[in-house]
Amino acid sequence: MSATETTGPGSHLVHHMTSLAAVADQGAFVVVAGDGARVTTADGTEYLDGVAGLINVNVGHGREELVEAAAAAMRDLAYGTLFFGMATPHALGLADDLARITPAGIERFFFAVGGSDANDSAIKIARRYQSLRGHEDRAMILAREHSYHGMTVAGMSATGDAVYRTDFGPVVPGFVHVGQPSGDTAADVAALEATIAEVGAERIAAMIAEPVSLPSGLVIPPDDYWPAVHAVLQRHGILLIADEVVTGFSRTGRMFGMEHWDVVPDLISMSKGITSGYLPLAAVGIGDDVYATLEGAGGPFLHGFTTGGHPTSCALARANLAIIEREDLAGNADRRGAYFQRRLDELCAAYPAALRGRHLGLLVALDLEPPADFALPDGVASFGLHVRNELLATQHQIIRYYGDTLVWGPSLAITEAEIDELVAGVAAVLDAVASTP
Ligand SMILES: Cc1ncc(COP(=O)(O)O)c(C=O)c1O
Protein backbone atom coordinates (compact mmCIF):
# COMPACT_ATOMS: atom_id res chain seq x y z
CA MET A 1 0.00 0.00 0.00
CA SER A 2 1.46 3.39 -0.87
CA ALA A 3 1.01 6.64 0.98
CA THR A 4 -1.22 7.90 -1.78
CA GLU A 5 -3.64 4.98 -1.57
CA THR A 6 -6.12 6.30 0.89
CA THR A 7 -9.00 4.03 0.02
CA GLY A 8 -9.36 0.32 -0.61
CA PRO A 9 -9.22 -2.79 1.55
CA GLY A 10 -7.05 -2.37 4.63
CA SER A 11 -6.47 1.34 4.28
CA HIS A 12 -9.16 2.47 6.71
CA LEU A 13 -7.51 1.29 9.92
CA VAL A 14 -5.99 3.87 12.27
CA HIS A 15 -2.95 2.15 13.75
CA HIS A 16 -1.93 2.51 17.41
CA MET A 17 1.39 3.86 18.69
CA THR A 18 3.08 4.30 15.34
CA SER A 19 3.82 6.82 12.63
CA LEU A 20 0.63 6.85 10.56
CA ALA A 21 2.57 8.17 7.55
CA ALA A 22 5.21 5.43 7.80
CA VAL A 23 2.66 2.64 8.07
CA ALA A 24 0.72 4.08 5.12
CA ASP A 25 3.97 4.04 3.17
CA GLN A 26 5.29 0.63 4.18
CA GLY A 27 2.05 -1.26 4.74
CA ALA A 28 0.95 -3.08 7.88
CA PHE A 29 2.65 -6.15 9.41
CA VAL A 30 -0.38 -8.40 9.29
CA VAL A 31 -0.40 -11.34 11.70
CA VAL A 32 -2.89 -14.09 10.87
CA ALA A 33 -2.10 -17.05 13.13
CA GLY A 34 -0.23 -18.08 16.25
CA ASP A 35 1.03 -21.27 17.85
CA GLY A 36 2.81 -21.24 21.21
CA ALA A 37 5.46 -18.50 21.05
CA ARG A 38 5.28 -18.17 17.25
CA VAL A 39 3.09 -16.15 14.91
CA THR A 40 2.58 -16.29 11.15
CA THR A 41 2.06 -13.27 8.91
CA ALA A 42 -0.26 -12.93 5.93
CA ASP A 43 2.53 -13.90 3.51
CA GLY A 44 3.10 -17.17 5.38
CA THR A 45 6.33 -16.19 7.19
CA GLU A 46 6.76 -17.55 10.71
CA TYR A 47 8.18 -15.29 13.45
CA LEU A 48 9.37 -16.14 16.94
CA ASP A 49 7.52 -13.59 19.07
CA GLY A 50 9.91 -12.52 21.81
CA VAL A 51 7.32 -10.19 23.30
CA ALA A 52 4.17 -12.35 23.20
CA GLY A 53 2.09 -9.71 21.43
CA LEU A 54 2.29 -6.80 23.86
CA ILE A 55 3.81 -8.94 26.65
CA ASN A 56 0.37 -10.34 27.26
CA VAL A 57 0.02 -13.77 25.62
CA ASN A 58 1.33 -15.41 28.79
CA VAL A 59 0.14 -18.96 28.06
CA GLY A 60 1.01 -18.76 24.35
CA HIS A 61 -1.17 -19.02 21.25
CA GLY A 62 -3.41 -21.93 20.30
CA ARG A 63 -4.83 -23.00 23.66
CA GLU A 64 -7.97 -24.83 22.61
CA GLU A 65 -9.42 -24.96 26.14
CA LEU A 66 -9.56 -21.15 26.19
CA VAL A 67 -11.44 -21.11 22.90
CA GLU A 68 -13.88 -23.65 24.30
CA ALA A 69 -14.40 -21.78 27.58
CA ALA A 70 -15.23 -18.60 25.66
CA ALA A 71 -17.53 -20.37 23.20
CA ALA A 72 -19.43 -22.12 26.00
CA ALA A 73 -19.93 -18.86 27.89
CA MET A 74 -21.18 -17.09 24.75
CA ARG A 75 -23.61 -19.88 23.96
CA ASP A 76 -25.20 -19.42 27.39
CA LEU A 77 -25.28 -15.65 27.41
CA ALA A 78 -24.19 -12.92 24.98
CA TYR A 79 -23.68 -10.35 27.69
CA GLY A 80 -24.51 -9.59 31.29
CA THR A 81 -23.90 -6.36 33.18
CA LEU A 82 -22.31 -5.78 36.58
CA PHE A 83 -24.33 -2.55 37.02
CA PHE A 84 -27.28 -2.19 39.41
CA GLY A 85 -26.50 -5.25 41.56
CA MET A 86 -26.52 -7.64 38.60
CA ALA A 87 -23.79 -10.19 37.91
CA THR A 88 -22.89 -13.31 35.93
CA PRO A 89 -21.54 -16.61 37.28
CA HIS A 90 -18.35 -16.01 35.32
CA ALA A 91 -17.65 -12.61 36.92
CA LEU A 92 -18.51 -13.92 40.39
CA GLY A 93 -16.32 -16.99 39.86
CA LEU A 94 -13.37 -15.03 38.51
CA ALA A 95 -13.49 -12.64 41.47
CA ASP A 96 -13.31 -15.70 43.77
CA ASP A 97 -10.36 -17.07 41.78
CA LEU A 98 -8.53 -13.74 41.99
CA ALA A 99 -9.12 -13.55 45.74
CA ARG A 100 -7.38 -16.93 46.05
CA ILE A 101 -4.29 -15.96 44.00
CA THR A 102 -3.74 -12.37 45.15
CA PRO A 103 -2.02 -11.61 48.48
CA ALA A 104 -4.11 -11.94 51.66
CA GLY A 105 -5.94 -8.68 52.25
CA ILE A 106 -6.85 -8.15 48.57
CA GLU A 107 -10.26 -9.79 48.46
CA ARG A 108 -12.52 -7.66 46.20
CA PHE A 109 -12.27 -7.10 42.45
CA PHE A 110 -13.67 -4.40 40.21
CA PHE A 111 -13.65 -5.42 36.54
CA ALA A 112 -12.64 -3.09 33.72
CA VAL A 113 -11.77 -3.56 30.05
CA GLY A 114 -8.06 -2.72 29.66
CA GLY A 115 -5.05 -1.61 31.64
CA SER A 116 -5.67 2.11 31.14
CA ASP A 117 -9.22 2.10 32.44
CA ALA A 118 -8.17 -0.21 35.29
CA ASN A 119 -5.66 2.48 36.33
CA ASP A 120 -8.26 5.22 35.95
CA SER A 121 -10.54 3.14 38.15
CA ALA A 122 -7.84 2.57 40.78
CA ILE A 123 -7.14 6.31 40.89
CA LYS A 124 -10.85 7.11 41.29
CA ILE A 125 -11.23 4.46 43.99
CA ALA A 126 -8.22 5.86 45.89
CA ARG A 127 -9.68 9.38 45.73
CA ARG A 128 -13.11 8.22 46.83
CA TYR A 129 -11.58 6.30 49.71
CA GLN A 130 -9.73 9.39 50.91
CA SER A 131 -12.79 11.56 50.48
CA LEU A 132 -15.04 9.14 52.38
CA ARG A 133 -12.50 9.12 55.20
CA GLY A 134 -12.93 12.88 55.49
CA HIS A 135 -9.82 13.78 53.46
CA GLU A 136 -11.55 15.56 50.55
CA ASP A 137 -8.31 17.42 49.79
CA ARG A 138 -6.32 14.24 49.24
CA ALA A 139 -6.64 14.03 45.46
CA MET A 140 -3.10 14.31 44.10
CA ILE A 141 -1.49 11.23 42.61
CA LEU A 142 2.23 10.50 42.78
CA ALA A 143 3.62 8.62 39.79
CA ARG A 144 7.12 7.96 38.53
CA GLU A 145 9.12 9.26 35.60
CA HIS A 146 9.60 6.75 32.76
CA SER A 147 6.55 4.80 33.83
CA TYR A 148 3.72 3.63 31.58
CA HIS A 149 0.16 3.60 32.88
CA GLY A 150 -1.88 3.71 29.68
CA MET A 151 -3.22 6.21 27.22
CA THR A 152 -6.58 7.42 28.55
CA VAL A 153 -6.38 11.04 29.65
CA ALA A 154 -5.65 10.03 33.26
CA GLY A 155 -3.36 7.17 32.17
CA MET A 156 -1.38 9.57 29.96
CA SER A 157 -1.17 12.04 32.85
CA ALA A 158 0.23 9.35 35.16
CA THR A 159 2.63 8.02 32.51
CA GLY A 160 6.10 9.39 33.13
CA ASP A 161 7.37 10.27 29.66
CA ALA A 162 6.44 13.65 28.16
CA VAL A 163 6.57 12.24 24.62
CA TYR A 164 3.15 10.64 25.16
CA ARG A 165 1.62 14.00 26.05
CA THR A 166 2.90 15.98 23.07
CA ASP A 167 -0.05 17.58 21.27
CA PHE A 168 -2.48 15.63 23.49
CA GLY A 169 -2.49 18.05 26.41
CA PRO A 170 -3.43 19.53 28.70
CA VAL A 171 -2.95 16.64 31.07
CA VAL A 172 -5.29 16.07 33.99
CA PRO A 173 -4.19 18.22 36.93
CA GLY A 174 -3.11 16.47 40.09
CA PHE A 175 -0.19 14.24 38.98
CA VAL A 176 3.34 14.69 40.33
CA HIS A 177 6.25 12.54 39.19
CA VAL A 178 9.16 11.21 41.23
CA GLY A 179 12.21 9.33 39.95
CA GLN A 180 12.72 5.66 39.14
CA PRO A 181 14.85 3.57 41.52
CA SER A 182 18.40 4.89 41.22
CA GLY A 183 20.06 1.97 43.00
CA ASP A 184 20.49 4.09 46.14
CA THR A 185 17.31 3.49 48.12
CA ALA A 186 18.18 5.95 50.89
CA ALA A 187 18.50 8.71 48.28
CA ASP A 188 15.27 7.63 46.55
CA VAL A 189 13.40 7.67 49.86
CA ALA A 190 14.80 11.12 50.69
CA ALA A 191 13.66 12.41 47.28
CA LEU A 192 10.20 10.90 47.77
CA GLU A 193 9.94 12.46 51.24
CA ALA A 194 10.99 15.82 49.78
CA THR A 195 8.29 15.64 47.08
CA ILE A 196 5.67 14.66 49.65
CA ALA A 197 6.71 17.57 51.87
CA GLU A 198 6.57 19.97 48.93
CA VAL A 199 3.12 18.84 47.75
CA GLY A 200 1.81 18.28 51.29
CA ALA A 201 0.92 14.75 52.40
CA GLU A 202 -2.56 15.99 53.28
CA ARG A 203 -3.16 16.61 49.55
CA ILE A 204 -1.96 13.22 48.23
CA ALA A 205 -4.36 10.31 47.68
CA ALA A 206 -2.08 7.63 46.28
CA MET A 207 1.09 6.69 44.47
CA ILE A 208 0.78 4.62 41.30
CA ALA A 209 3.76 2.56 40.14
CA GLU A 210 4.69 -0.59 38.26
CA PRO A 211 6.76 -3.03 40.35
CA VAL A 212 9.32 -2.81 37.53
CA SER A 213 9.09 -0.22 34.74
CA LEU A 214 9.78 -1.02 31.11
CA PRO A 215 10.08 2.38 29.38
CA SER A 216 13.57 3.09 30.64
CA GLY A 217 14.67 -0.37 29.61
CA LEU A 218 13.52 -2.51 32.56
CA VAL A 219 14.49 -0.91 35.86
CA ILE A 220 14.70 -3.66 38.48
CA PRO A 221 14.74 -2.02 41.92
CA PRO A 222 17.10 -3.11 44.70
CA ASP A 223 15.44 -5.42 47.24
CA ASP A 224 15.09 -2.67 49.84
CA TYR A 225 13.34 -0.20 47.48
CA TRP A 226 9.69 -1.28 47.63
CA PRO A 227 9.54 -2.05 51.37
CA ALA A 228 11.14 1.38 52.07
CA VAL A 229 8.85 3.29 49.67
CA HIS A 230 5.79 1.46 51.02
CA ALA A 231 6.74 2.37 54.59
CA VAL A 232 7.00 6.07 53.64
CA LEU A 233 3.60 6.00 51.94
CA GLN A 234 1.96 4.23 54.88
CA ARG A 235 3.42 6.72 57.33
CA HIS A 236 1.84 9.56 55.33
CA GLY A 237 -1.54 7.87 54.76
CA ILE A 238 -0.88 7.65 51.01
CA LEU A 239 -2.28 4.56 49.26
CA LEU A 240 -0.10 2.41 47.00
CA ILE A 241 -1.59 1.44 43.62
CA ALA A 242 0.54 -1.31 42.07
CA ASP A 243 0.16 -1.26 38.31
CA GLU A 244 0.63 -4.98 37.66
CA VAL A 245 -0.77 -4.79 34.12
CA VAL A 246 2.47 -6.23 32.72
CA THR A 247 3.90 -7.94 35.80
CA GLY A 248 0.76 -9.79 36.91
CA PHE A 249 -0.11 -13.41 36.23
CA SER A 250 3.34 -14.97 36.62
CA ARG A 251 5.29 -12.76 34.20
CA THR A 252 8.09 -12.06 36.72
CA GLY A 253 8.25 -15.53 38.26
CA ARG A 254 5.65 -14.76 40.96
CA MET A 255 1.90 -14.54 40.46
CA PHE A 256 2.23 -10.74 41.06
CA GLY A 257 5.42 -8.70 40.86
CA MET A 258 5.16 -7.08 44.30
CA GLU A 259 5.41 -10.56 45.85
CA HIS A 260 9.16 -10.41 45.20
CA TRP A 261 9.40 -7.88 48.01
CA ASP A 262 6.48 -9.01 50.21
CA VAL A 263 4.73 -5.70 49.67
CA VAL A 264 0.92 -5.81 49.71
CA PRO A 265 -0.44 -2.72 47.94
CA ASP A 266 -3.81 -1.13 48.68
CA LEU A 267 -4.95 -1.48 45.07
CA ILE A 268 -3.68 -3.66 42.22
CA SER A 269 -4.38 -2.90 38.55
CA MET A 270 -4.26 -5.96 36.33
CA SER A 271 -5.00 -6.81 32.71
CA LYS A 272 -2.89 -8.40 29.91
CA GLY A 273 -2.06 -11.85 31.39
CA ILE A 274 -5.49 -12.10 33.06
CA THR A 275 -6.78 -13.51 29.73
CA SER A 276 -3.36 -14.03 28.09
CA GLY A 277 -4.58 -11.57 25.48
CA TYR A 278 -7.29 -13.88 24.10
CA LEU A 279 -9.99 -11.34 25.05
CA PRO A 280 -10.03 -7.87 26.62
CA LEU A 281 -10.38 -7.75 30.40
CA ALA A 282 -8.90 -5.89 33.34
CA ALA A 283 -9.43 -5.75 37.09
CA VAL A 284 -8.62 -3.67 40.13
CA GLY A 285 -7.89 -5.69 43.25
CA ILE A 286 -9.05 -3.74 46.31
CA GLY A 287 -7.57 -4.05 49.80
CA ASP A 288 -9.84 -4.79 52.73
CA ASP A 289 -9.55 -1.38 54.38
CA VAL A 290 -10.32 0.47 51.14
CA TYR A 291 -13.23 -1.81 50.33
CA ALA A 292 -14.70 -1.54 53.82
CA THR A 293 -14.71 2.24 53.39
CA LEU A 294 -16.37 2.07 49.95
CA GLU A 295 -19.02 -0.32 51.23
CA GLY A 296 -19.50 1.60 54.45
CA ALA A 297 -20.30 4.75 52.50
CA GLY A 298 -23.79 3.47 51.90
CA GLY A 299 -24.44 5.65 48.83
CA PRO A 300 -24.02 4.32 45.30
CA PHE A 301 -20.58 3.59 43.85
CA LEU A 302 -21.13 5.52 40.61
CA HIS A 303 -18.37 4.00 38.51
CA GLY A 304 -18.42 1.21 35.94
CA PHE A 305 -18.07 0.21 32.28
CA THR A 306 -20.59 -1.49 29.98
CA THR A 307 -18.13 -4.19 28.97
CA GLY A 308 -16.10 -4.28 32.22
CA GLY A 309 -16.10 -7.91 33.39
CA HIS A 310 -17.75 -9.19 30.21
CA PRO A 311 -18.91 -12.76 30.93
CA THR A 312 -17.06 -14.29 27.95
CA SER A 313 -13.79 -12.64 29.02
CA CYS A 314 -14.30 -13.73 32.64
CA ALA A 315 -15.02 -17.33 31.65
CA LEU A 316 -11.91 -17.38 29.49
CA ALA A 317 -9.85 -15.76 32.27
CA ARG A 318 -10.84 -18.57 34.64
CA ALA A 319 -9.64 -21.19 32.15
CA ASN A 320 -6.47 -19.16 31.58
CA LEU A 321 -5.74 -19.02 35.32
CA ALA A 322 -6.25 -22.78 35.50
CA ILE A 323 -3.49 -23.22 32.88
CA ILE A 324 -1.16 -20.76 34.64
CA GLU A 325 -1.53 -22.66 37.91
CA ARG A 326 -1.59 -26.22 36.49
CA GLU A 327 1.54 -25.64 34.42
CA ASP A 328 3.25 -23.62 37.17
CA LEU A 329 4.04 -20.85 34.72
CA ALA A 330 5.41 -18.70 37.56
CA GLY A 331 8.00 -21.41 38.22
CA ASN A 332 8.62 -21.65 34.50
CA ALA A 333 9.14 -17.88 34.24
CA ASP A 334 11.60 -18.09 37.13
CA ARG A 335 13.60 -20.97 35.63
CA ARG A 336 13.48 -19.87 32.00
CA GLY A 337 14.28 -16.28 32.98
CA ALA A 338 17.41 -17.51 34.77
CA TYR A 339 18.31 -19.59 31.69
CA PHE A 340 17.80 -16.55 29.43
CA GLN A 341 20.08 -14.53 31.72
CA ARG A 342 22.84 -17.17 31.51
CA ARG A 343 22.63 -17.16 27.73
CA LEU A 344 22.80 -13.33 27.68
CA ASP A 345 25.81 -13.42 30.01
CA GLU A 346 27.56 -15.69 27.49
CA LEU A 347 26.60 -13.34 24.68
CA CYS A 348 28.00 -10.35 26.59
CA ALA A 349 31.26 -12.23 27.20
CA ALA A 350 31.61 -12.85 23.46
CA TYR A 351 30.38 -9.55 21.97
CA PRO A 352 31.70 -6.12 23.03
CA ALA A 353 28.49 -4.50 21.71
CA ALA A 354 26.44 -6.54 24.22
CA LEU A 355 27.02 -4.81 27.56
CA ARG A 356 24.84 -6.49 30.18
CA GLY A 357 21.64 -8.46 30.56
CA ARG A 358 19.12 -8.40 33.39
CA HIS A 359 15.83 -10.10 34.10
CA LEU A 360 12.99 -10.55 36.52
CA GLY A 361 11.32 -13.79 35.55
CA LEU A 362 10.54 -13.50 31.86
CA LEU A 363 10.94 -9.75 31.64
CA VAL A 364 14.40 -9.67 30.11
CA ALA A 365 16.61 -6.82 28.90
CA LEU A 366 19.98 -6.45 27.19
CA ASP A 367 21.91 -3.16 27.04
CA LEU A 368 23.82 -2.60 23.82
CA GLU A 369 26.54 -0.20 22.80
CA PRO A 370 27.06 0.47 19.11
CA PRO A 371 30.61 -0.15 17.85
CA ALA A 372 32.42 3.20 17.61
CA ASP A 373 32.75 3.02 13.81
CA PHE A 374 29.17 1.89 13.11
CA ALA A 375 27.00 4.33 11.14
CA LEU A 376 23.26 4.00 11.67
CA PRO A 377 21.23 3.66 8.46
CA ASP A 378 19.27 6.75 7.41
CA GLY A 379 16.13 7.33 9.43
CA VAL A 380 17.12 4.87 12.20
CA ALA A 381 17.34 6.77 15.48
CA SER A 382 19.16 4.29 17.72
CA PHE A 383 21.31 1.18 17.66
CA GLY A 384 18.54 -0.62 19.56
CA LEU A 385 16.10 0.17 16.75
CA HIS A 386 18.61 -1.00 14.15
CA VAL A 387 19.08 -4.34 15.93
CA ARG A 388 15.32 -4.67 16.35
CA ASN A 389 14.79 -4.01 12.62
CA GLU A 390 17.45 -6.54 11.64
CA LEU A 391 16.07 -9.17 14.02
CA LEU A 392 12.70 -8.77 12.36
CA ALA A 393 13.95 -8.76 8.78
CA THR A 394 16.74 -11.34 8.91
CA GLN A 395 15.98 -13.54 11.94
CA HIS A 396 12.18 -13.37 11.87
CA GLN A 397 12.06 -12.43 15.53
CA ILE A 398 9.88 -9.82 17.20
CA ILE A 399 11.30 -7.87 20.15
CA ARG A 400 10.98 -4.42 21.77
CA TYR A 401 13.66 -1.81 22.20
CA TYR A 402 14.03 1.30 24.35
CA GLY A 403 16.96 3.38 23.06
CA ASP A 404 19.89 0.96 23.00
CA THR A 405 18.22 -1.60 25.26
CA LEU A 406 16.48 -4.68 23.86
CA VAL A 407 13.55 -6.09 25.84
CA TRP A 408 11.89 -9.50 25.69
CA GLY A 409 8.72 -10.72 27.39
CA PRO A 410 7.87 -13.97 25.63
CA SER A 411 5.22 -16.58 26.33
CA LEU A 412 5.76 -18.02 29.81
CA ALA A 413 5.67 -21.47 28.23
CA ILE A 414 8.67 -20.66 25.99
CA THR A 415 11.21 -23.50 25.73
CA GLU A 416 14.95 -23.34 26.32
CA ALA A 417 15.47 -24.10 22.62
CA GLU A 418 13.38 -21.06 21.71
CA ILE A 419 15.41 -18.90 24.12
CA ASP A 420 18.58 -20.22 22.45
CA GLU A 421 17.06 -19.11 19.15
CA LEU A 422 16.34 -15.60 20.46
CA VAL A 423 19.90 -15.16 21.75
CA ALA A 424 21.41 -16.66 18.58
CA GLY A 425 19.34 -14.13 16.60
CA VAL A 426 21.00 -11.23 18.44
CA ALA A 427 24.43 -12.83 17.92
CA ALA A 428 23.75 -13.11 14.18
CA VAL A 429 22.71 -9.44 13.97
CA LEU A 430 25.79 -8.34 15.94
CA ASP A 431 27.98 -10.45 13.62
CA ALA A 432 26.43 -8.66 10.65
CA VAL A 433 27.00 -5.28 12.33
CA ALA A 434 30.67 -6.17 12.95
CA SER A 435 31.17 -7.12 9.30
CA THR A 436 29.43 -4.01 7.92
CA PRO A 437 32.14 -1.90 6.26
C1 LIG B 1 2.18 -1.12 33.13
C2 LIG B 1 1.05 -0.81 32.19
N1 LIG B 1 -0.03 -0.19 32.65
C3 LIG B 1 -1.07 0.12 31.86
C4 LIG B 1 -1.06 -0.23 30.54
C5 LIG B 1 -2.21 0.16 29.66
O1 LIG B 1 -2.93 -0.98 29.29
P1 LIG B 1 -3.91 -0.92 28.02
O2 LIG B 1 -3.05 -0.72 26.82
O3 LIG B 1 -4.59 -2.25 28.08
O4 LIG B 1 -4.87 0.18 28.25
C6 LIG B 1 0.04 -0.90 30.00
C7 LIG B 1 0.08 -1.26 28.59
O5 LIG B 1 1.07 -1.71 28.05
C8 LIG B 1 1.13 -1.18 30.85
O6 LIG B 1 2.24 -1.77 30.38
Side-chain angles (χ1 to χ4, degrees), residues 14 37 63 65 67 75 78 124 151 183 199 211 221 229 251 259 312 336 340 378 415 420 428:
V14 179
R63 298 282 196 160
E65 63 196 276
V67 178
R75 266 186 214 108
K124 286 180 68 177
M151 288 293 108
V199 175
V229 167
R251 168 58 56 194
E259 290 172 30
T312 310
R336 298 273 147 83
F340 209 141
D378 279 351
T415 63
D420 291 345

Side-chain angles (χ1 to χ4, degrees), residues 384-437:
L385 173 57
H386 175 69
V387 173
R388 175 256 179 214
N389 289 346
E390 291 300 300
L391 279 171
L392 191 70
T394 67
Q395 307 300 310
H396 296 161
Q397 294 182 8
I398 304 170
I399 63 147
R400 291 269 280 276
Y401 77 101
Y402 296 95
D404 286 343
T405 298
L406 307 184
V407 168
W408 293 266
S411 155
L412 305 185
I414 193 168
T415 63
E416 290 188 355
E418 286 165 334
I419 292 170
D420 291 345
E421 222 180 297
L422 290 172
V423 178
V426 178
V429 169
L430 294 182
D431 282 336
V433 162
S435 62
T436 305

Side-chain angles (χ1 to χ4, degrees), residues 114-116 119 148-150 210 243 245-246 272:
S116 305
N119 282 335
Y148 188 87
H149 297 295
E210 314 105 308
D243 179 347
V245 168
V246 167
K272 294 196 187 256

Side-chain angles (χ1 to χ4, degrees), residues 110-173:
F110 171 86
F111 288 123
V113 185
S116 305
D117 52 292
N119 282 335
D120 282 31
S121 300
I123 288 166
K124 286 180 68 177
I125 289 169
R127 286 177 171 168
R128 181 160 166 80
Y129 164 83
Q130 299 287 11
S131 183
L132 290 169
R133 304 275 291 216
H135 305 297
E136 292 88 352
D137 291 339
R138 277 191 181 261
M140 303 281 288
I141 304 294
L142 298 178
R144 296 184 305 170
E145 292 155 8
H146 308 306
S147 58
Y148 188 87
H149 297 295
M151 288 293 108
T152 52
V153 181
M156 169 187 83
S157 306
T159 289
D161 281 310
V163 65
Y164 294 108
R165 302 181 207 130
T166 311
D167 300 328
F168 286 122
V171 296
V172 177

Side-chain angles (χ1 to χ4, degrees), residues 303-319:
H303 180 67
F305 305 109
T306 300
T307 48
H310 190 286
T312 310
S313 302
C314 288
L316 185 145
R318 299 194 74 189

Side-chain angles (χ1 to χ4, degrees), residues 130 135 137-140 142 193 195-206 232-233 235-238:
Q130 299 287 11
H135 305 297
D137 291 339
R138 277 191 181 261
M140 303 281 288
L142 298 178
E193 289 276 18
T195 302
I196 292 171
E198 204 177 303
V199 175
E202 69 292 348
R203 296 179 57 227
I204 305 173
V232 171
L233 299 177
R235 189 150 33 78
H236 290 292
I238 299 168

